[in-house]
């Protein structure tokens, strides 16, 4: 993804020192582009918990590097115990994103192959890099599969603009590169298809308004910001051809956890016969949970709803109070869209229905 014409990933090891990791502090976007250095496990945990980084794939990549940072700072003779504690801390940092546990487990498995502590430390770094590269590659590939769907829609509309609605940010910033929901959009743009994106603002963090709209603008994709409540109306007016969203965790039976409000979009799409797709790398599948309602849903502080932040006239990022003091607010971060409302899952291996059989057929290594 390009920022001011320069290519960036959302996370990368410091090229001069493998013992630190660089991220973009997403809390400051789109107003300020600030690169932050993570040097310790605590830095990585705080970055995930406090939303310097967010989005399923990037949370996973940061967790992978968090394990590496724990390893490089471990006292001699205490590596195994340090990694076990790091895994617990990271696992608890955000409960819904599946990629987090997936990445932590992958590093834990990888270190078993090392004989000495030095070997194991190298393995934590190599595995974090592998997770990162794989995330980018899987998103790029799922974009190619998603392109087929957009191409068919474009043909059916005889080349007229395809209007795609998306919720939250399942873009480049939520992964290492390309994004999940945005990868087919970038592929369609590259294929010369006329596209336009409706971007839900996504209260309370406004990831759509602050991140997705900015990201698409950087890539010259035509897009329009809408309020979270506008989607249903646009669908009724024939202004939406398809919905593509990301997911923080999808069960192997096809139920989808994604940013709060996704379920309402799926209901409206269903009522208006509009295809509703979910784009995900396979690292987001939960192979154990059968029913989406058993996915842990993160509940964040109500303060995120009662206050709002933006840039003031002096160019400083400021948070202001929105509500009367003492207003109670309930802040669930995610909701569950049942498989029956999902038209298809766009994965790095192809597009499938949101059904157990189809998912297991495409990923037979998960019995
Ligand atoms: O709370 P966030 O910003 O970490 O939530 C993640 C999201 O941005 C969305 O739920 C997204 O659609 C899925 S993450 C690929």
């Amino acid at each position: 993804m390009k920022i001011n014409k320069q290519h960036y990933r959302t996370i990368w090891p410091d090229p001069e020192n493998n013992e630190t990791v660089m991220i973009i502090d997403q809390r400051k976007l789109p107003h300020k582009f600030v690169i932050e250095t993570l040097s310790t496990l605590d830095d990585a945990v705080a970055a995930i918990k406090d939303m310097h980084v967010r989005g399923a794939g990037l949370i996973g990549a940061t967790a992978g590097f968090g394990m590496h940072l724990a390893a490089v700072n471990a006292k001699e003779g205490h590596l195994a115990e340090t990694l076990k504690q790091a895994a617990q801390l990271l696992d608890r940092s955000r409960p819904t994103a599946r990629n987090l546990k997936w990445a932590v487990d992958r590093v834990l498995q990888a270190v078993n192959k090392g004989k000495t502590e030095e070997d194991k430390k190298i393995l934590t770094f190599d595995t974090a890099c592998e997770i990162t590269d794989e995330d980018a590659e899987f998103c790029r590939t799922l974009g190619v599969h998603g392109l087929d769907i957009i191409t068919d829609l474009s043909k059916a509309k005889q080349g007229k603009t395809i209007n795609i609605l998306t919720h939250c940010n399942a873009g480049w910033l939520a992964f290492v590169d390309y994004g999940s929901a945005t990868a087919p959009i970038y592929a369609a743009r590259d294929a010369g298809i006329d596209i336009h994106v409706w971007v839900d603002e996504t209260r309370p963090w406004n990831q759509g308004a602050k991140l997705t709209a900015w990201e698409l603008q950087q890539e010259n994709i035509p897009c329009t910001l809408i309020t979270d409540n506008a989607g249903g109306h646009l669908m009724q007016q024939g202004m939406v051809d398809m919905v593509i969203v990301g997911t923080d965790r999808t069960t192997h039976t096809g139920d989808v956890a994604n940013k709060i409000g996704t379920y309402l979009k799926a209901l409206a799409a269903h009522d208006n016969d509009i295809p509703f797709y979910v784009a995900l790398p396979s690292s987001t599948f939960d192979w154990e949970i059968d029913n989406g309602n058993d996915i842990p849903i993160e509940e964040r502080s109500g303060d995120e709803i009662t206050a709002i932040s933006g840039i003031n006239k002096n160019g400083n990022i400021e948070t202001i109070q929105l509500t009367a003091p003492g207003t109670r607010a309930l802040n669930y971060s995610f909701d569950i869209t049942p498989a029956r409302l999902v038209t298809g899952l766009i994965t790095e291996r192809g597009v499938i229905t949101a059904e157990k059989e189809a998912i297991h057929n495409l990923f037979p290594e998960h019995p």
Side-chain angles (χ1 to χ4, degrees):
M1 173 56 212
K2 291 199 184 79
I3 305 297
N4 297 328
K5 303 198 175 123
Q6 190 184 333
H7 181 262
Y8 283 92
R9 282 184 166 188
T10 54
I11 188 165
W12 63 96
D14 184 337
E16 285 168 15
N17 164 17
N18 279 354
E19 302 191 353
T20 55
V21 180
M22 321 300 277
I23 57 162
I24 298 160
D25 184 350
Q26 300 196 15
R27 298 168 308 166
K28 303 202 165 67
L29 290 172
H31 311 297
K32 296 184 195 245
F33 186 76
V34 177
I35 292 173
E36 188 183 335
T37 305
L38 308 180
S39 311
T40 63
L41 166 70
D42 288 348
D43 289 348
V45 171
I48 295 172
K49 232 185 200 163
D50 301 335
M51 310 271 283
H52 306 213
V53 293
R54 25 77 39 215
L58 181 55
I59 290 174
T62 309
F65 276 115
M67 292 293 281
H68 169 60
L69 295 176
V72 294
N73 293 306
K75 288 202 189 105
E76 212 184 314
H78 289 81
L79 184 67
E81 181 193 328
T82 302
L83 285 178
K84 196 171 154 205
Q85 283 164 5
Q88 283 167 357
L89 263 179
L90 285 161
D91 275 349
R92 283 199 295 263
S93 59
R94 289 201 72 191
T96 305
R98 176 64 191 166
N99 295 59
L100 203 163
K101 185 163 167 32
W102 171 84
V104 165
D105 286 350
R106 186 155 161 175
V107 176
L108 286 175
Q109 273 168 21
V111 292
N112 287 335
K113 292 185 207 127
K115 288 202 177 82
T116 64
E117 287 204 340
E118 254 343 279
D119 289 346
K120 289 175 193 275
K121 285 183 187 181
I122 293 169
L123 282 166
T124 60
F125 180 74
D126 291 349
T127 310
C129 291
E130 259 169 47
I131 289 170
T132 308
D133 290 344
E134 194 176 287
D135 183 85
E137 180 53 19
F138 281 5
C139 284
R140 190 193 67 76
T141 322
L142 72 82
V144 175
H145 296 301
L147 170 62
D148 292 341
I149 302 166
I150 303 176
T151 304
D152 288 348
L153 283 173
S154 170
K155 280 186 191 147
K157 265 188 100 176
Q158 290 160 342
K160 290 204 190 98
T161 309
I162 299 299
N163 288 293
I164 301 171
L165 185 141
T166 193
H167 188 65
C168 198
N169 174 266
W172 162 74
L173 288 160
F175 289 87
V176 173
D177 211 342
Y178 302 100
S180 59
T182 48
I185 293 171
Y186 293 135
R189 182 268 321 268
D190 293 345
I193 296 174
D194 187 356
I195 40 171
H196 165 262
V197 183
W198 297 112
V199 180
D200 285 353
E201 59 177 346
T202 323
R203 287 278 292 143
W205 271 82
N206 293 302
Q207 290 96 328
K210 290 181 172 178
L211 305 179
T212 308
W214 176 74
E215 183 183 320
L216 293 173
Q217 282 160 24
Q218 291 292 321
E219 287 282 335
N220 289 321
I221 307 271
C223 62
T224 306
L225 184 65
I226 53 174
T227 61
D228 286 334
N229 297 324
H233 175 67
L234 297 190
M235 291 184 203
Q236 285 175 325
Q237 297 300 311
M239 294 162 78
V240 179
D241 296 299
M242 75 185 296
V243 179
I244 314 182
V245 296
T247 168
D248 298 83
R249 189 187 300 220
T250 289
T251 65
H252 66 131
T253 54
D255 293 338
V256 172
N258 194 46
K259 182 56 59 189
I260 193 87
T262 302
Y263 172 50
L264 293 178
K265 297 292 137 49
L267 282 173
H270 190 256
D271 195 43
N272 289 280
D273 276 333
I274 291 167
F276 181 96
Y277 284 95
V278 179
L280 70 159
S282 54
S283 44
T284 307
F285 278 117
D286 186 316
W287 300 101
E288 281 147 30
I289 291 184
D290 293 331
N291 186 330
N293 292 325
D294 294 330
I295 294 176
I297 299 293
E298 179 178 6
E299 189 185 332
R300 296 183 65 89
S301 164
D303 296 350
E304 293 179 353
I305 301 183
T306 56
I308 195 159
S309 78
I311 194 159
N312 67 18
K313 279 192 208 140
N314 302 323
N316 298 319
I317 294 171
E318 204 180 328
T319 300
I320 56 165
Q321 181 70 20
L322 200 59
T323 60
T327 301
R328 264 173 45 186
L330 176 65
N331 187 10
Y332 284 122
S333 258
F334 303 97
D335 61 23
I336 305 297
T337 299
R340 69 187 160 80
L341 298 177
V342 177
T343 309
L345 302 172
I346 306 171
T347 77
E348 74 273 12
R349 291 194 194 164
V351 181
I352 41 174
T353 52
E355 287 169 312
K356 186 174 176 181
E357 202 185 341
I359 295 169
H360 281 273
N361 280 345
L362 197 62
F363 296 95
E365 65 273 34
H366 296 279

